[in-house]
Amino acid sequence: MSMDVLDLGGRPVIVGGGIAGLMTALHLAPEPVLLLSRSPLGADASSTWAQGGLAASLGEDDEPALHLSDTLAAGDGLCDAQAARRIVYAAAAAIEDLARLGVRFDRTPAGALRLGLEAAHGRRRIVHADGDGSGREIMRALVADVRSTPTIAVIEGIAGGVRAAIERARSSVGHLVKIEVEVDTLAQLEEVLALAPDVVLLDNMSIDELRQAVAMVAGRAITEASGRVTPATAPAVAATGVDLISIGWLTHSAPILDIGLDYSEF
Ligand SMILES: Cc1cc2nc3c(=O)[nH]c(=O)nc-3n(C[C@H](O)[C@H](O)[C@H](O)COP(=O)(O)OP(=O)(O)OC[C@H]3O[C@@H](n4cnc5c(N)ncnc54)[C@H](O)[C@@H]3O)c2cc1C
């Protein structure tokens, strides 16, 4: 089911199309919900990559209290005991929910869940699906369920990153304004330069990074240094060859500013 994001009709909005988002939407059904996913469902979710299994006290020799005690022992003081308790006590029902939703867990010839003994667990309690493709199999089933549930509206592919933003700005107002893109690293700068921005804002870079950035830009865009610049460091920043310097430090620290402005068009 597809819909316009401006026409929500009061329904809850779920942001994210990984296991958490998909399960939330399915749990709420048949209440109408809108699920937003940055990419096509499953495409960039960590969930699809999860290779290991899911732990739950499902064996006949096991119980949640044993799972909890193994978990707290392995956590060695780092676990929030209450959160761990809630999770391990809910784990068996979560596996059953997933199986009911169509996840094909690995099973014994007799049809029981195949339970693995792994890591710090003292009982066989790790469930896999499709071997080490557990996340992929769970996502396959949940995406299919979400797509076939009429009360779940999905809007996917809602962001295309910097490229899409620049193209959109350029096609709507590009003739009126210059397009400035902020980067924090030289790797980001390299990516952004391929999109031919008018101005690049080099944020929080060291003097050495600024020097490298100016060399990388090589006159293809206006460069602006910003972040961490103070009147004391401004001369060194200027010596890197950047075109513009923003010194927010002045406005944060001075109670009154009297500034003579030179206007320049870029
Ligand atoms: C290689 C790998 C192996 C792993 N192995 C295991 C394992 O064996 N066992 C285990 O329990 N866990 C494992 N994990 C961790 C597990 O995959 C994650 O904890 C879990 O999948 C998180 O699910 P999620 O739904 O919260 O996030 P995700 O699956 O990452 O989904 C997040 C969703 O939000 C969307 N999104 C992000 N930003 C925005 C935005 N601004 N607007 C709209 N949508 C947005 C993304 O597109 C994505 O759809 C592993 C993770 C990785 C990467």
Side-chain angles (χ1 to χ4, degrees):
M1 177 181 174
S2 66
M3 66 180 295
D4 192 307
V5 74
L6 298 176
D7 180 25
L8 292 176
R11 67 187 70 197
V13 177
I14 299 164
V15 180
I19 290 176
L22 299 176
M23 280 299 274
T24 304
L26 290 166
H27 270 296
L28 288 173
E31 178 176 351
V33 297
L34 171 64
L35 188 134
L36 297 178
S37 176
R38 190 173 54 183
S39 58
L41 287 185
D44 77 345
S46 298
S47 299
T48 310
W49 293 101
Q51 293 179 309
L54 293 79
S57 50
L58 293 155
E60 290 187 356
D61 62 345
D62 204 0
E63 53 182 280
L66 293 175
H67 188 180
L68 180 61
S69 118
D70 286 348
T71 304
L72 296 178
D76 196 22
L78 293 176
C79 299
D80 176 328
Q82 277 199 346
R85 168 178 286 275
R86 286 183 59 192
I87 291 168
V88 301
Y89 275 77
I95 304 279
E96 278 163 23
D97 268 354
L98 288 169
R100 185 180 46 78
L101 288 165
V103 176
R104 294 188 287 245
F105 286 113
D106 296 344
R107 293 181 180 270
T108 65
L113 287 170
R114 192 183 290 278
L115 300 176
L117 181 63
E118 293 177 19
H121 294 284
R123 293 286 191 275
R124 304 187 73 85
R125 62 169 75 105
I126 311 302
V127 181
H128 286 259
D130 195 20
D132 65 1
S134 302
R136 193 177 55 235
E137 166 57 14
I138 294 170
M139 287 295 287
R140 178 204 62 74
L142 298 186
V143 168
D145 288 338
V146 161
R147 293 210 188 281
S148 63
T149 303
T151 53
I152 302 176
V154 178
I155 297 183
E156 52 198 320
I158 53 172
V162 176
R163 178 182 294 277
I166 290 181
E167 282 169 1
R168 207 169 303 157
R170 208 160 256 150
S171 66
S172 49
V173 291
H175 57 293
L176 296 174
V177 296
K178 300 289 183 196
I179 294 173
E180 177 164 9
V181 181
E182 176 178 329
V183 298
D184 304 305
T185 64
L186 294 175
Q188 286 177 358
L189 175 62
E190 187 171 358
E191 192 184 332
V192 160
L193 281 176
L195 309 173
D198 301 295
V199 188
V200 281
L201 187 146
L202 310 166
D203 198 29
N204 281 317
M205 289 193 178
S206 67
I207 296 295
D208 191 45
E209 285 175 316
L210 286 173
R211 207 174 288 119
Q212 289 183 61
V214 169
M216 282 168 67
V217 174
R220 286 179 287 166
I222 292 167
T223 52
E224 176 179 357
S226 178
R228 284 204 231 147
V229 187
T230 68
T233 59
V237 171
T240 63
V242 291
D243 300 302
L244 305 170
I245 302 176
S246 302
I247 312 183
W249 182 90
L250 285 175
T251 47
H252 299 315
S253 59
I256 299 173
L257 284 178
D258 181 359
I259 303 177
L261 291 178
D262 287 330
Y263 289 97
S264 63
E265 266 188 39
F266 57 77

